[in-house]
Amino acid sequence: MSKVSLRVAGLKVHYRTLRGDVKALDDVTFAVADGETMGLAGESGCGKTTLGKSLIRLDGRMRHVDGTVELDDEELPIGDTARMNDFRFREVFIIPQYAMSAMNPTRKIGKMTKELLESRGVRFETVRTELKRRLELVGLAHDVLDRYPIELSGGMKQRMVMVLSTLLNPSLLVADEVTSALDVSTQRAVAETLVDFRDRGFVRSMIVITHDVSLVYQIADSIMVMYAGKLAEKAPTDVIVDSPRHPYTQLLISSLPEVGVKYADKRLTGIPGSPPSLLDPPAGCRFRDRCPLAFDKCSEEPPFVEVEHGHYVACWKA
Amino acid sequence: MTVPSVDQGVDTKVDRVPGARREALYFALRNKKLVGGLTVVLLFLVLAVVGPMLTAHGPREYVGPPMQPPSSEYWFGTTTFGQDVFAQFVYGLRATFRVGILGGGLTAIIGMFVGFTAGYRGGLVDETLNMITNVVLVLPVLAVLLIISAYLRVRSVEVQALIIGLFSWPWVARAIRAQTFSLRSRDFVDLARLSGVPTRRIIFGEIAPNMASYLFMVFILLFGGAVLFAATLDFIGLGPTEGISLGLMLNNSVKWSALQLGMSWWFIPPGIGITAIVGAFYIMNVGLDEVFNPKLREM
Amino acid sequence: MATTSLAGKPEAERCCTVDRVSMVYKIGAFGGTDLPAVRDVSFEVRAGEVVSLIGESGSGKTTLGKMILRLCPITGETITVDGVDISTFKRRRLKTYYRSVQGVFQDPFSSYNPIFKADRVFSMIKDEYFAEVNAAEWRRKVAASLEAVRLSPDEVLNKYPHQLSGGQLQRILIARALLLDIRLLVADEIISMLDASTRIDVLNLLADLKAQGLGILFITHDLSLGNYVSDKTVILRRGRIVEMGAPDRVFGNPLHPYTKSLLTSVPQLHRKWERVEAELAAGRAGLTGRCIYHERYPNGDGPVGLDAERPTLAEAEDDHFVACFQADGEETC
Amino acid sequence: MRRYFGRKFLIYALTFFVAVTINFMIPRLMPGDPVRSMVARAGMQTPEAAATMQEYYTRIFGLDVPIWQQYLNFWAALLRGDLGISIWLFPQPVTGVIMRAVPYTLALLIPAILLSWFAGNKFGAFAARRKWLDNTILPVGYVLTATPYMWLAILLAWALGIIAGIFPIAGGYSFSLAPTLSWTFVGSLLAHWFLPFVSLFLVFFGGWAIGMRNMIIYELEADYSHYLQALGAPQRLVRKYAFRNAALPQITGLALQLGVIVAGAVVTEIVFSYPGLGHLILKAIENQDFFLLQGAFLFIVIGVLLANFIIDIVYVLVDPRTRTGMGGGSA
């Protein structure tokens, strides 16, 4: 984990709405090392999905305002849909939330794969053996290629999309809530496949977006926590879970019941209040209103700084 | 008289919230299709209301010299028999709006009744209604209307609207059934049931309001459909036995060789009237669709 | 281990009893294929008790909840509440039934009609059940009920659902249920769509209500949540109960292979999958190749129905029941 | 799949049954003595002919037997292919009269439907999400669908037939020719066929183009389209897939529109005095020839049912979802 794979600097992405711009990502700066699996956790509306999307494809309402994204020392033209096409699939790829409906329902999977590859200038024959090898690896029979997506179960579709998405060995893979719709047993299999793909070098580094901290705890090397469009904390997995520094991370982790913890023995508490509106976010630390440790200085915005090797926090108290 | 397909993606319109209501108005006022369509419709509506007051003649009176091209006295000219085309046109417009509203309205009511019942009740009731819907759906409507109208001694706009309504509801029922089905599985419907609210009030108090925009759009399409059906019947010679309609004007003009005689003032106005009203409604409908469905807005 | 067993409580405290209930979904027109959603399920919820119904998708847990709420028809034997069979209730009787049994569902946003204000859920209750109560008194009643779920009336009344958070919406729904004199609350995945930081507060609320004597059926797919509040855990798989009992026994000493596989798959904080797996493998050593149910009842003729306590389940230890180990439950071993 | 067709077949059988029953009921439900009014309105020249007809009708209607027996007799005659005798073309049997007209109607309808379906869908897909096309050409499509068939037919006849004088505007072939297999005759057939065809084609075309345009916008917003775009697939491929999926509901749409399409053909034939079913219907109405009208009605119903059945088969062939037995084919 020495070389940096992804470097995001000062990234700002806004959503256009009638009532004004929603500042979904505000000055986000971080790096992902080569070979690192980074978990990206946060509550709904904190900007984690926006971050994942902006690395691949901004949708119609998203606007790249500022900041740069570099992948393997090459700047990604994220604001330019057409130029970005060269990087998609080959260099950077997203496994979307909607894996269940990601494949064209009226094409056989193999045919779709072939057409897709050839549209990107890759001859199907050159990857056919590798494709079959990877299907075996995730436990899919070769004949899925001759089937229609509707004939596959949810878990099979999920695995198929994973194989398809990583077929050209992208440098960076973004997995957006890939497990949230699945049952626990399938969830684990999918999460472990992701790790396996990384270990086998199908992808070099990964960002796993989820609302479930305990899931990324199982598979990620590091965890980055977002709050209201900003980064709160990033550190190696064990550090985040065992000794978080940001009050938000602390409260979040302590509010999660674990198997074996009972109400009668240990009454957990949540975080009072709710996140600020991103239409017009307050100045200073955005967690200030809900933070038990808030003090005067919090009206200034805390920088996202490295407090310890590999441990970044945006809090004056950290 | 193709009815543009409306079956697609209608559920996206369900998520309307009051904030979105203001938003919808904002987009509505800026939607050229909606505003333009509405303007045309209102223009013709005004003409239908005011027009008969501008002319001293009844639509079927023989008032002037025959076969006159448009002049200052007979704005749209006269027919082979010296009837005033303008008078026929404005009275015909009235019939058009009447048959559209009555026929479209009746179709909507039947379609809604069947659709809501089938979608909400489910089970055997749904199966049965669905079967009936499918049967009426494949029956060629015009052929049925023909056979019924042919035997009717007295035909009026109201009777026409009635038989149009009785046979063109199936696609409405199907679309509403599908919508109801998806809304019914929403938790708020279950919650209303848990609150002891009776079925009828759940349908009209909980489900229908969520489809208001959709129902309105359906009515617009039905209005257009009814107008076109009526015009077709009139043209075949099964029009109202009393009074005048735009379709009847077309029928008369062809019957009395207006084409061969070059009396374009006789057959052009009624066609323009029907096309403009129905077309304006359809275009309004697209506009509405864009207003209620953000996906369709131009980006 | 805290002994939360209520086995000794008198009959009168039984709040809701589900006895050998089955449910078959008909797929396709005019019947066609049958899809069994719930098969021979029996359990009971007592007053002042939280029972967690845990299962993955397709386990029939939601269907069971809906059956108790009479939102889908009951087949098989009976569901009794306060000793009365509820399966035949119609109109008036059903309406009266809803005075004592209420539900809250998974998706807080879908539980509200988006075009009306959120308090409509209260006014519906007033119109149907408290038409005679005057407005001022009703306001007081609503305020009291909102306070019980720790919401301030000014904060939530007169607002549209999209202006409120998921946690607030779910609490309003609980407050709504509290307006009636309910004895049983069916809480179907009520926190799975809430953010992690607010989930726990809703769970705590359930625990408080239970302390006031309410019976709660807590339906969830999340083992850790089920464990946190419940007095009894029922694990469902494909419409059947595979294991049931006090949570510390079911989770502390899981017997059924399915329960174990669930436990090894659930992502936990502070314990990696490998560790959990190793721990359970150690516990399992003595059980390999065995089936407690068939050891107890070699002919598969275990007691049936509630009279004999649990159908098709064998009592492995005090307040801990387990079904045949055949993982699929389709055939016996 | 067998269930799918079984169900369809049941619906078609029921529809046919309902249609025949309507045919049977309508004259009997209407107030007054149908036989007398028919004979009176038929306006026969001689009292002998009127008497013959009176007798004939009474026998056909069988008004002296109980209603259920009338009904059974009606079916029996129908199954023998006996639809009665035409009044307008007395004493030719209705079946024969109709059979002579059907080829003309089919010659108009089949090319108009197929060509407009393909062209309209292609064009609609092409216009969708292309701003200037969408804004300029598609309103024209809406106006076209809103145009009454007969009016467009009248306009075409007037402009290209009367004013420009390029095409004949009446009949199926030149009145001066007798049907033979000669170039002159075929040329005349084609010349007479062209205007009614174009007029139908244009209105259908507008409808399909708009339908496709609306469908494809939804398809381009579907998850699988987003996924393809995220994979960097070129717009061409994304649109190709969207088109394929959007075309499926358009097939169902064709089935749903058949009734309306036939209605269009009927009035278009009337404008051009084209010797198809529509023309017969007009004549039947003008001459109070109810047997002919009923026969035409039954033929239309049968035709629409057959076409529906063909569309069902096509649908199953092109949509894999119906084959795997997982929904699809909503009709």
Side-chain angles (χ1 to χ4, degrees):
Chain A
M1 280 205 213
S2 48
K3 202 169 145 279
V4 170
S5 162
L6 176 77
R7 199 189 297 276
V8 174
L11 186 62
K12 286 189 185 178
V13 174
H14 292 183
Y15 266 99
R16 277 176 296 179
T17 70
L18 267 187
R19 277 162 292 169
D21 278 8
V22 170
K23 291 143 192 96
L25 277 186
D26 200 351
D27 201 9
V28 165
T29 303
F30 67 95
V32 177
D34 218 6
E36 177 177 344
T37 299
M38 184 184 84
L40 179 55
E43 297 181 308
S44 51
C46 71
K48 56 187 193 304
T49 294
T50 310
L51 176 54
K53 269 192 182 170
S54 27
L55 299 178
I56 311 290
R57 176 175 174 267
L58 299 174
D59 76 26
R61 284 159 50 224
M62 285 161 74
R63 200 157 53 89
H64 175 214
V65 178
D66 198 11
T68 55
V69 177
E70 274 175 40
L71 184 66
D72 300 326
D73 300 324
E74 197 176 354
E75 184 169 343
L76 294 181
I78 63 162
D80 185 337
T81 307
R83 278 208 298 140
M84 214 23 223
N85 246 8
D86 295 340
F87 296 91
R88 294 182 186 131
F89 203 9
R90 295 169 189 275
E91 297 297 327
V92 38
F93 198 65
I94 191 164
I95 302 182
Q97 279 179 359
Y98 49 81
M100 297 304 141
S101 54
M103 286 182 288
N104 185 355
T106 57
R107 265 280 195 262
K108 284 182 179 161
I109 292 169
K111 188 152 190 216
M112 185 201 109
T113 313
K114 182 165 181 244
E115 288 178 342
L116 175 67
L117 286 168
E118 295 190 341
S119 78
R120 299 300 316 273
V122 179
R123 286 206 41 232
F124 184 56
E125 295 311 315
T126 57
V127 291
R128 186 198 288 271
T129 29
E130 183 61 19
L131 174 62
K132 293 198 165 166
R133 193 170 76 85
R134 291 189 187 182
L135 286 178
E136 277 166 35
L137 209 64
V138 296
L140 290 173
H142 291 172
D143 71 358
V144 290
L145 295 179
D146 294 322
R147 289 159 78 178
Y148 290 98
I150 197 160
E151 300 173 77
L152 270 56
S153 72
M156 286 164 89
K157 274 188 238 176
Q158 180 73 262
R159 279 176 283 164
M160 188 62 226
V161 168
M162 280 165 67
V163 169
L164 195 56
S165 299
T166 54
L167 197 55
L168 298 184
N169 295 348
S171 179
L172 175 74
L173 179 73
V174 180
D176 188 2
E177 297 279 10
V178 284
T179 60
S180 47
L182 301 173
D183 277 330
V184 278
S185 40
T186 335
Q187 199 176 46
R188 177 174 177 186
V190 166
E192 288 180 334
T193 310
L194 282 178
V195 176
D196 191 39
F197 275 18
R198 200 265 320 263
D199 294 345
R200 288 171 188 269
F202 297 170
V203 292
R204 291 225 307 288
S205 31
M206 274 197 294
I207 298 179
V208 179
I209 301 174
T210 178
H211 62 277
D212 187 348
V213 185
S214 51
L215 183 87
V216 282
Y217 169 75
Q218 304 287 338
I219 57 168
D221 303 310
S222 62
I223 294 178
M224 184 159 84
V225 178
M226 288 188 70
Y227 182 78
K230 293 218 166 248
L231 302 184
E233 187 164 12
K234 179 181 190 245
T237 303
D238 290 321
V239 177
I240 282 268
V241 172
D242 296 328
S243 45
R245 295 250 187 136
H246 197 288
Y248 173 65
T249 322
Q250 290 169 352
L251 289 170
L252 186 66
I253 285 181
S254 69
S255 71
L256 299 175
E258 296 176 51
V259 175
V261 172
K262 292 214 50 134
Y263 167 83
D265 311 331
K266 179 182 171 192
R267 188 179 168 121
L268 305 174
T269 49
I271 309 175
S274 53
S277 153
L278 292 184
L279 262 180
D280 186 21
C285 176
R286 293 191 181 170
F287 189 58
R288 189 170 33 145
D289 292 343
R290 300 170 79 185
C291 183
L293 307 178
F295 66 120
D296 296 347
K297 187 130 192 230
C298 296
S299 57
E300 279 170 55
E301 190 175 319
F304 190 62
V305 290
E306 189 163 17
V307 290
E308 225 177 274
H309 180 64
H311 191 165
Y312 299 82
V313 187
C315 178
W316 295 116
K317 290 267 185 173
Chain B
M1 39 173 84
T2 318
V3 181
S5 32
V6 285
D7 301 65
Q8 340 104 13
V10 276
D11 54 339
T12 40
K13 276 170 236 123
V14 162
D15 295 288
R16 290 201 308 125
V17 286
R21 216 177 273 165
R22 227 173 307 126
E23 192 173 303
L25 190 66
Y26 174 93
F27 277 108
L29 294 177
R30 275 158 193 75
N31 191 299
K32 280 188 212 136
K33 296 186 184 109
L34 181 58
V35 175
L38 193 64
T39 313
V40 172
V41 169
L42 288 179
L43 224 78
F44 276 97
L45 192 62
V46 168
L47 192 58
V49 174
V50 179
M53 300 172 200
L54 297 180
T55 168
H57 322 298
R60 291 202 166 194
E61 283 171 47
Y62 306 106
V63 288
M67 300 209 274
Q68 290 296 303
S71 63
S72 61
E73 191 179 351
Y74 302 107
W75 297 351
F76 286 8
T78 58
T79 69
T80 324
F81 312 105
Q83 292 154 314
D84 183 357
V85 177
F86 180 75
Q88 294 201 336
F89 180 67
V90 287
Y91 278 101
L93 277 180
R94 283 189 170 184
T96 292
F97 276 103
R98 273 209 345 255
V99 81
I101 289 168
L102 291 175
L106 183 66
T107 314
I109 289 170
I110 300 177
M112 274 164 63
F113 176 78
V114 175
F116 280 136
T117 315
Y120 187 78
R121 294 276 173 173
L124 201 63
V125 175
D126 178 35
E127 290 281 353
T128 315
L129 286 178
N130 211 7
M131 199 56 124
I132 297 173
T133 307
N134 278 326
V135 166
V136 185
L137 195 66
V138 277
L139 266 184
V141 184
L142 187 90
V144 180
L145 298 189
L146 268 180
I147 206 97
I148 297 178
S149 310
Y151 281 99
L152 286 173
R153 288 266 182 75
V154 182
R155 294 182 297 260
S156 64
V157 166
E158 286 71 24
V159 172
Q160 227 172 26
L162 178 75
I163 52 176
I164 288 175
L166 285 179
F167 287 94
S168 37
W169 53 268
W171 70 267
V172 186
R174 252 175 59 159
I176 290 180
R177 169 181 172 269
Q179 288 259 308
T180 310
F181 228 73
S182 78
L183 281 171
R184 189 179 94 108
S185 60
R186 297 273 190 114
D187 291 338
F188 66 78
V189 172
D190 278 344
L191 207 70
R193 289 168 75 187
L194 286 185
S195 304
V197 180
T199 307
R200 198 171 32 85
R201 287 232 303 276
I202 292 183
I203 292 178
F204 291 105
E206 303 289 323
I207 295 180
N210 274 289
M211 286 195 228
S213 63
Y214 180 67
L215 293 176
F216 185 60
M217 288 168 49
V218 162
F219 175 72
I220 284 184
L221 293 180
L222 289 176
F223 179 97
V227 167
L228 290 175
F229 266 133
T232 310
L233 282 176
D234 297 353
F235 182 72
I236 299 178
L238 297 175
T241 36
E242 301 289 321
I244 188 74
S245 75
L246 297 182
L248 207 55
M249 287 174 75
L250 283 176
N251 170 264
N252 285 332
S253 70
V254 170
K255 199 153 70 181
W256 306 109
S257 307
L259 264 179
Q260 285 79 357
L261 299 171
M263 292 163 66
S264 57
W265 60 86
W266 192 355
F267 56 80
I268 284 183
I272 286 186
I274 298 173
T275 310
I277 293 171
V278 177
F281 263 121
Y282 283 175
I283 287 173
M284 248 175 86
N285 198 53
V286 189
L288 278 175
D289 207 8
E290 286 172 2
V291 169
F292 293 129
N293 189 349
K295 271 190 188 173
L296 293 179
R297 286 177 198 154
E298 303 231 329
M299 293 198 257
Chain C
M1 272 191 204
T3 43
T4 39
S5 164
L6 293 167
K9 291 219 174 168
E11 187 81 5
E13 288 197 28
R14 270 188 193 160
C15 177
C16 167
T17 304
V18 174
D19 186 12
R20 291 184 64 78
V21 163
S22 298
M23 159 84 187
V24 176
Y25 275 118
K26 300 262 186 215
I27 302 184
F30 295 118
T33 336
D34 288 353
L35 181 77
V38 175
R39 295 182 282 195
D40 272 350
V41 168
S42 307
F43 62 86
E44 58 188 47
V45 184
R46 293 165 202 242
E49 185 181 60
V50 176
V51 172
S52 295
L53 205 54
I54 298 176
E56 294 186 300
S57 57
S59 64
K61 56 185 193 303
T62 295
T63 308
L64 261 171
K66 291 206 162 177
M67 283 201 278
I68 293 173
L69 291 171
R70 281 296 310 275
L71 295 174
C72 59
I74 299 168
T75 43
E77 294 288 313
T78 58
I79 293 182
T80 57
V81 172
D82 292 337
V84 185
D85 180 5
I86 63 160
S87 56
T88 55
F89 285 180
K90 291 242 161 41
R91 293 165 192 251
R92 295 198 74 80
R93 192 69 190 80
L94 191 60
K95 194 167 163 181
T96 319
Y97 172 64
Y98 287 143
R99 269 185 196 275
S100 55
V101 177
Q102 277 296 328
V104 180
F105 308 113
Q106 172 172 14
D107 182 352
F109 295 96
S110 147
S111 296
Y112 291 84
N113 202 332
I115 56 177
F116 298 117
K117 286 184 177 166
D119 11 89
R120 182 176 164 88
V121 297
F122 295 133
S123 56
M124 268 195 296
I125 295 278
K126 172 160 165 47
D127 292 347
E128 297 299 329
Y129 291 100
F130 298 97
E132 74 291 348
V133 175
N134 72 44
E137 195 187 332
W138 180 253
R139 268 198 302 278
R140 270 197 302 282
K141 207 166 148 64
V142 168
S145 172
L146 282 173
E147 258 148 49
V149 297
R150 285 183 216 91
L151 283 174
S152 90
D154 307 337
E155 216 177 309
V156 295
L157 289 182
N158 219 8
K159 289 204 171 147
Y160 285 98
H162 70 279
Q163 296 170 305
L164 299 165
S165 74
Q168 284 172 320
L169 290 175
Q170 290 298 56
R171 281 190 232 198
I172 292 176
L173 289 180
I174 297 173
R176 166 194 166 277
L178 295 179
L179 284 171
L180 300 159
D181 321 314
I182 53 164
R183 313 198 36 182
L184 177 69
L185 182 71
V186 176
D188 185 357
E189 296 269 17
I190 61 168
I191 53 174
S192 66
M193 289 181 72
L194 303 184
D195 272 324
S197 64
T198 50
R199 274 183 185 183
I200 200 74
D201 296 323
V202 175
L203 268 184
N204 288 339
L205 178 61
L206 288 188
D208 296 345
L209 293 177
K210 157 187 115 162
Q212 291 159 27
L214 193 65
I216 296 172
L217 182 64
F218 180 65
I219 300 172
T220 179
H221 68 280
D222 189 323
L223 280 75
S224 41
L225 298 176
N227 171 69
Y228 179 68
V229 283
S230 65
D231 301 295
K232 178 155 67 188
T233 299
V234 178
I235 297 193
L236 277 181
R237 173 183 166 78
R238 300 200 186 171
R240 285 181 205 272
I241 297 182
V242 295
E243 197 160 351
M244 171 162 94
D248 37 13
R249 310 226 168 122
V250 174
F251 293 120
N253 177 27
L255 296 171
H256 198 281
Y258 178 66
T259 315
K260 287 182 186 178
S261 80
L262 274 185
L263 274 168
T264 53
S265 304
V266 62
Q268 305 189 29
L269 269 187
H270 305 292
R271 289 164 92 206
K272 292 254 162 106
W273 280 323
E274 295 76 22
R275 203 180 115 201
V276 178
E277 205 159 347
E279 282 171 12
L280 284 173
R284 188 178 178 146
L287 282 168
T288 321
R290 290 174 54 191
C291 169
I292 292 185
Y293 178 79
H294 279 92
E295 280 172 16
R296 194 73 41 91
Y297 306 106
N299 302 322
D301 52 357
V304 161
L306 264 190
D307 298 335
E309 277 299 308
R310 305 285 185 272
T312 60
L313 292 177
E315 188 160 16
E317 56 185 314
D318 184 36
D319 200 13
H320 189 178
F321 302 83
V322 64
C324 169
F325 280 16
Q326 187 67 37
D328 233 359
E330 290 295 343
E331 68 271 18
T332 49
C333 50
Chain D
M1 189 138 96
R2 184 186 268 161
R3 281 178 47 78
Y4 173 78
F5 279 113
R7 196 183 157 80
K8 289 281 179 189
F9 196 77
L10 180 63
I11 287 171
Y12 297 147
L14 263 175
T15 310
F16 184 66
F17 174 78
V18 168
V20 170
T21 309
I22 288 179
N23 228 350
F24 172 80
M25 300 280 285
I26 293 295
R28 286 167 177 81
L29 277 183
M30 294 299 164
D33 179 354
V35 174
R36 190 166 314 142
S37 65
M38 256 195 247
V39 174
R41 280 190 280 180
M44 286 283 143
Q45 261 99 29
T46 62
E48 292 81 41
T52 320
M53 281 191 69
Q54 171 98 34
E55 188 195 339
Y56 176 73
Y57 278 140
T58 315
R59 194 162 37 91
I60 288 293
F61 272 90
L63 292 173
D64 42 344
V65 297
I67 191 109
W68 60 267
Q69 202 162 350
Q70 291 179 35
Y71 188 57
L72 288 184
N73 291 345
F74 189 80
W75 270 101
L78 188 70
L79 294 179
R80 283 197 308 272
D82 175 8
L83 295 172
I85 302 287
S86 166
I87 301 168
W88 173 49
L89 296 172
F90 195 79
Q92 297 185 45
V94 165
T95 319
V97 174
I98 290 176
M99 286 312 273
R100 259 179 292 148
V102 166
Y104 286 99
T105 300
L106 289 183
L108 267 190
L109 269 180
I110 292 176
I113 291 175
L114 293 181
L115 289 176
S116 68
W117 195 85
F118 281 108
N121 279 334
K122 282 279 178 209
F123 184 78
F126 186 73
R129 284 272 184 253
R130 285 192 169 89
K131 214 167 183 173
W132 68 269
L133 264 182
D134 213 28
N135 280 339
T136 54
I137 315 274
L138 276 162
V140 176
Y142 276 102
V143 172
L144 273 180
T145 46
T147 312
Y149 289 91
M150 55 276 184
W151 192 55
L152 187 67
I154 292 173
L155 287 184
L156 282 175
W158 180 57
L160 296 178
I162 305 284
I163 295 184
I166 308 174
F167 292 99
I169 59 160
Y173 47 86
S174 172
F175 294 119
S176 56
L177 292 173
T180 45
L181 248 182
S182 67
W183 285 116
T184 345
F185 182 71
V186 173
S188 172
L189 271 183
L190 278 177
H192 284 81
W193 168 86
F194 186 74
L195 277 187
F197 162 76
V198 168
S199 141
L200 280 178
F201 174 86
L202 283 177
V203 183
F204 296 162
F205 176 85
W208 297 127
I210 289 160
M212 182 46 127
R213 176 252 178 197
N214 292 345
M215 293 302 296
I216 212 144
I217 286 177
Y218 281 100
E219 293 293 335
L220 286 176
E221 291 293 322
D223 284 343
Y224 70 89
S225 296
H226 284 308
Y227 182 66
L228 277 179
Q229 282 167 337
L231 281 161
Q235 271 306 307
R236 200 169 30 81
L237 187 69
V238 179
R239 276 181 169 269
K240 185 176 146 194
Y241 278 15
F243 178 74
R244 222 184 124 81
N245 291 347
L248 292 171
Q250 290 285 82
I251 296 180
T252 322
L254 179 58
L256 289 179
Q257 291 296 317
L258 276 176
V260 178
I261 287 173
V262 171
V266 167
V267 289
T268 306
E269 285 179 6
I270 291 175
V271 172
F272 291 99
S273 308
Y274 200 71
L277 274 179
H279 184 63
L280 282 192
I281 288 174
L282 181 72
K283 289 296 171 197
I285 289 171
E286 283 177 358
N287 294 293
Q288 300 283 334
D289 185 346
F290 291 106
F291 286 98
L292 188 54
L293 190 62
Q294 290 195 344
F297 169 73
L298 275 185
F299 261 79
I300 290 177
V301 170
I302 293 171
V304 167
L305 291 182
L306 275 179
N308 258 292
F309 190 65
I310 294 170
I311 291 172
D312 284 340
I313 293 173
V314 171
Y315 197 91
V316 168
L317 290 180
V318 291
D319 190 349
R321 284 169 293 193
T322 47
R323 263 170 289 159
T324 48
M326 311 273 286
S330 46

